[in-house]
Amino acid sequence: MGSEVSKQIQRRKAVSVEKQMLFDLNENCGETFPGCDYRPTDRKNWMASLGPKDLHINNIVWPGTHNSATDRIGIPCISRPFAQCQTLSVYQQLVLGTRVLDIRVNENNHVCHGILLTYNIDVVINDVKKFLFETTSEVIILEIRTEYGHRDPPEFEDYLEEKLGMYLIHQDDYVFGKTIAELLPKRIICVWKPRNSAQPKPGSPFWSAEYLKDNWIDTDLPSTKFDSNLKYLSDQAPVSSRNFFYRVENTVTAQPDNPVVCVRPVTGRIHGYARLFINRCFAEGCANRLQVFSTDFIGGDFVDACVGLTHARVHGEC
């Protein structure tokens, strides 16, 4: 019993130390970077505002959400705090400026996070279609994966093609060098990551797992995650010379050996340091590698930081 208490004290101390490290880094380095002062006047249509003819797919900094469809997961006040990573619906996230969605499904076509379930995938698809109907030039990366511990939903590719076919951008390496204008009216890059079925093939309406990569660091220590994100990003090729999307997640994850296991207070340890991360990317010489940047509980300032950097790239400021 005494050793367990001692362990908990050490874990909480480690978290406290790392939170202070990020706070001090932010105080010393600040949050400035090319484009940091830019604020889109219309987040819902920010790609259209920057100009579809000027926006190359590989040059966009895509604001994304982690576990995007968890706004109504589980039971309120009971199981929801342990799995909810977003409070906004998928439609609300897209209107706010989110352009990369991370959706987990089970064999029954329900969205899930681990063992906890929420609404049918139809809710997500309808939100996406509503947003696309209301806009003209916004492109979305829609990642759908079979959640760990579950089986693939049956005939899922047929379902997706029936619902989204008119919007789907087919798997093709040349897409990365194209502008949004060259892809329109197609507007969804759908990355489908099954667990049991075969991966989508070249030319398919769906993109395989190799086109959206990341290095998942499973930790609740904010400075450790921040530094690891920088390291792994630095290992990537510049966006101009790679034919896949690379994602950095500005999140930390609750651990079973720490008494604080609800998502919001845990991920809050790193949540406010997105602009600091972009600042450090420039300091470390890896800003030209940043592409998909995701977060829990997305807000307007996170979107503005990504759009601001995209604006700077379009105008040759970095």
Side-chain angles (χ1 to χ4, degrees), residues 124-134 163-164 167:
V124 173
I125 300 303
N126 290 338
D127 274 7
V128 168
K129 291 174 72 174
K130 178 182 179 182
F131 173 77
L132 293 177
F133 179 78
E134 294 173 354
K163 296 289 185 178
L164 300 173
Y167 297 111

Side-chain angles (χ1 to χ4, degrees), residues 228-244:
S228 297
N229 280 343
L230 275 175
K231 174 188 178 301
Y232 284 118
L233 181 63
S234 297
D235 291 341
Q236 306 305 312
V239 295
S240 60
S241 60
R242 66 175 189 246
N243 292 329
F244 63 88

Side-chain angles (χ1 to χ4, degrees), residues 291-307:
Q291 193 171 45
V292 175
F293 199 22
S294 293
T295 189
D296 291 325
F297 304 109
I298 195 165
D301 188 67
F302 184 90
V303 171
D304 291 353
C306 295
V307 177

Side-chain angles (χ1 to χ4, degrees), residues 194-222:
R195 289 198 171 271
N196 314 116
S197 312
Q199 289 284 323
K201 297 179 180 179
S204 163
F206 309 103
W207 297 64
S208 60
E210 66 184 23
Y211 284 103
L212 179 54
K213 301 179 182 180
D214 54 39
N215 291 97
W216 177 248
I217 303 105
D218 187 16
T219 181
D220 63 354
L221 299 175

Side-chain angles (χ1 to χ4, degrees), residues 257-275:
D257 63 347
N258 192 302
V260 182
V261 292
C262 294
V263 174
R264 186 179 285 275
V266 173
T267 202
R269 298 167 188 166
I270 198 173
H271 187 267
Y273 296 110
R275 288 179 176 269

Side-chain angles (χ1 to χ4, degrees), residues 169-178 201-204 206-207 211 243:
I169 299 167
H170 286 221
Q171 183 184 146
D172 183 350
D173 286 0
Y174 289 106
V175 164
F176 292 93
K178 291 185 176 181
K201 297 179 180 179
S204 163
F206 309 103
W207 297 64
Y211 284 103
N243 292 329

